[in-house]
DNA sequence: GTCCGCAAACGGTCAGTAGC
DNA sequence: GCTACTGACCGTTTGCGGAC
């Protein structure tokens, strides 16, 4: 059966293609009864707008590009699983609009920039969503230079404002560190994302601020940066536990790193919750299944990714970026006791 | 003023035609 | 038979104009 078009609806209803087009877009210039008649006919024929035809006329693709990072560092890892949830959230947000999602997998920063060039130059999408904002992010500079709508999952250091959704990483790291300090921990380590990521700086700053507020000197040896993978968590844990003055508490940047740290603890015969305490960041609530389940600072990924989609639609409508910036504070989920057994919390 | 039709326009593809 | 060119076509939007 041939695909329904405006022409076939015009033929079925007896109206011109122009009237059908206006009616389908809900134009007030079309009488309500006519509009309903045409919309009912469209529904009966299973009409869906043809994006190629739409692009032909409007020079817009009605597609939103989503860049998905597929890092070689994450081979044999679960990192990236959350992208399915992110895509689902964005998809929910754009449902009902004319926009559809196009997914582009990206291996590294250079590939991301090349892909953005292609998307912009070849008109493959009208807007783009991506995550993992970096210091002096060239992707953001390029898109701003081109005036191309975009939303980032993560803030940036760009002087020119742009739409974003982000976890307040600085506050999350500050809260986690302050919580551990209040519970008597003096040696607190931070397993952090790579240094070139903006949120790694924010986490480090929040951690450092909390230590300073608690009268504890910042020790760079207690900060372990690396890819946000279980492997990094495992290596970091082993390195930290080999220290002469080892930490009594460790803050992990995500669930994968926490899982790696737990695995490292099992390998070394270190009992988490007694010998050392872990605190994680969580967006999938998977930490509840870890043994033992750590306390986490939780950010609902469904809500944040829906916002990404909503902000994208607003950016495409030309809404001022100042109205499409959201920093979300994580909520603490308390699980295992965060205080080691008496006498085991170590001091400087 | 309301409602609707007409026709042009967009960029790429492909069939048809002319010339060699 | 090959190449070069022309024009119709695809689906949709939209400005303009006509009928009532």
């Amino acid at each position: 059966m041939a695909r329904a078009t405006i022409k076939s609806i015009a033929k079925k209803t007896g109206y011109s293609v122009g009237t059908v087009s206006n009616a389908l877009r809900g134009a007030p210039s079309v009488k309500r009864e006519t509009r309903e008649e045409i919309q009912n006919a469209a529904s009966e024929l299973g009409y869906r707008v043809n994006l190629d035809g739409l692009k032909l006329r409007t020079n817009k693709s009605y597609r939103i590009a989503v860049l998905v990072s597929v890092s070689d560092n994450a081979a044999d890892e679960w990192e990236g699983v959350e992208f399915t949830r992110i895509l689902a959230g964005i998809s929910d947000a754009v449902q009902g609009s004319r926009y559809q999602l196009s997914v582009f997998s990206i291996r590294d920063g250079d590939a991301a920039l090349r892909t953005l060039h292609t998307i912009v130059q070849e008109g493959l999408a009208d807007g783009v969503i991506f995550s993992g904002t970096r210091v002096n992010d060239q992707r953001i500079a390029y898109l701003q230079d081109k005036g191309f709508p975009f939303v980032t999952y993560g803030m940036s250091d760009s002087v020119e404002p742009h739409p974003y959704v982000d976890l307040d990483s600085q506050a999350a790291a500050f809260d986690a560190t302050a919580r551990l300090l209040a519970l008597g921990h003096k040696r607190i380590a931070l397993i952090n994302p790579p240094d070139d990521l903006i949120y790694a700086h924010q986490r480090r700053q929040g951690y450092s601020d909390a230590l300073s507020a608690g009268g504890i000197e910042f020790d760079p040896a207690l900060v372990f940066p690396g890819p946000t993978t279980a492997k990094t968590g495992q290596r970091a844990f082993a390195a930290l536990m080999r220290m002469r003055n080892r930490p009594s508490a460790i803050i992990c940047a995500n669930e994968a790193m926490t899982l790696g740290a737990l695995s490292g603890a099992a390998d070394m015969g270190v009992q988490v919750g007694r010998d050392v305490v872990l605190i994680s960041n969580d967006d999938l609530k998977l930490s509840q299944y870890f043994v033992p389940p750590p306390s986490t600072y939780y950010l609902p990924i469904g809500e944040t990714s829906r916002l990404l989609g909503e902000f994208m639609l607003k950016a495409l409508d030309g809404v001022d970026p100042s109205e499409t910036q959201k920093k979300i504070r994580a909520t603490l989920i308390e699980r295992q006791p965060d205080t080691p057994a008496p006498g085991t919390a170590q001091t400087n």
Side-chain angles (χ1 to χ4, degrees):
Chain A
M1 185 176 163
R3 177 179 182 168
T5 65
I6 281 183
K7 275 186 188 170
S8 59
I9 298 168
K11 190 175 175 189
K12 180 180 170 72
T13 58
Y15 294 101
S16 71
V17 290
T19 300
V20 170
S21 171
N22 285 324
L24 291 175
R25 283 178 293 115
S29 63
V30 180
K31 200 167 56 175
R32 186 173 59 83
E33 292 83 356
T34 306
R35 212 160 53 212
E36 287 174 0
E37 183 189 349
I38 290 172
Q39 285 171 349
N40 287 338
S43 179
E44 280 176 32
L45 292 171
Y47 171 77
R48 288 196 59 164
V49 70
N50 183 312
L51 290 180
D52 289 333
L54 202 57
K55 182 176 185 185
L56 194 58
R57 178 64 179 85
T58 63
N59 203 27
K60 290 178 69 176
S61 68
Y62 286 91
R63 292 183 203 280
I64 294 169
V66 183
L67 306 192
V68 176
S69 296
V70 185
S71 167
D72 288 334
N73 287 322
D76 305 321
E77 292 268 359
W78 78 357
E79 199 217 10
V81 169
E82 68 270 21
F83 268 113
T84 57
R85 301 283 294 277
I86 292 174
L87 286 172
I90 297 171
S91 180
D92 282 350
V94 304
Q95 211 140 53
S97 77
R98 289 194 145 178
Y99 289 92
Q100 295 183 355
L101 302 185
S102 294
V103 176
F104 295 79
S105 66
I106 304 298
R107 290 225 166 265
D108 54 41
D110 288 343
L113 200 53
R114 282 197 303 275
T115 301
L116 285 178
H117 285 167
T118 306
I119 290 169
V120 173
Q121 286 165 6
E122 297 183 14
L124 301 182
D126 301 326
V128 60
I129 299 172
F130 61 94
S131 61
T133 47
R134 298 170 187 279
V135 179
N136 295 321
D137 201 313
Q138 290 183 49
R139 299 168 298 180
I140 291 172
Y142 172 71
L143 293 170
Q144 286 178 330
D145 180 55
K146 293 292 176 187
F148 195 83
F150 69 97
V151 182
T152 57
Y153 191 3
M155 298 171 66
S156 79
D157 54 3
S158 167
V159 176
E160 198 179 325
H162 64 81
Y164 70 80
V165 181
D166 200 5
L167 161 70
D168 191 339
S169 295
Q170 191 166 330
F174 183 96
D175 290 350
T177 311
R179 172 182 172 78
L180 291 166
L181 287 170
L183 290 166
H185 295 274
K186 305 290 184 200
R187 294 279 290 169
I188 302 168
L190 182 70
I191 304 180
N192 221 24
D195 284 337
D196 61 331
L197 292 170
I198 289 285
Y199 84 107
H201 283 255
Q202 295 169 336
R203 290 181 58 77
R204 194 180 172 109
Q205 188 63 52
Y207 165 77
S208 166
D209 288 348
L211 289 178
S212 175
I216 303 290
E217 196 176 338
F218 174 81
D219 180 358
L222 289 175
V223 178
F224 195 108
T228 50
T229 61
K231 179 72 79 185
T232 300
Q234 194 176 37
R235 284 181 182 155
F237 188 89
L240 291 165
M241 287 302 109
R242 279 196 295 267
M243 293 174 78
R244 200 148 80 188
N245 189 10
R246 71 188 202 185
S248 64
I250 301 173
I251 302 169
C252 300
N254 70 352
E255 294 141 296
M257 287 172 148
T258 308
L259 183 63
L262 286 170
S263 167
D267 288 345
M268 301 177 77
V270 174
Q271 190 170 336
V272 173
R274 187 197 66 188
D275 306 327
V276 67
V277 163
L278 293 183
I279 285 195
S280 182
N281 274 269
D282 196 343
D283 53 12
L284 295 172
K285 281 195 175 169
L286 287 174
S287 304
Q288 63 185 310
Y289 301 109
F290 294 172
V291 182
S295 295
T296 63
Y297 283 85
Y298 173 66
L299 182 71
I301 198 166
E303 185 189 321
T304 51
S305 47
R306 250 192 315 279
L307 271 177
L308 284 172
E310 288 172 19
F311 285 1
M312 185 74 257
L313 293 178
K314 287 184 177 177
L316 289 163
D317 279 343
V319 171
D320 193 282
S322 63
E323 295 176 37
T324 49
Q325 297 180 329
K326 178 90 173 175
K327 206 153 72 166
I328 304 171
R329 190 129 184 172
T331 53
L332 173 67
I333 300 177
E334 291 184 85
R335 294 204 181 94
Q336 63 158 5
D338 292 337
T339 311
T344 57
Q346 299 187 18
T347 56
N348 277 325

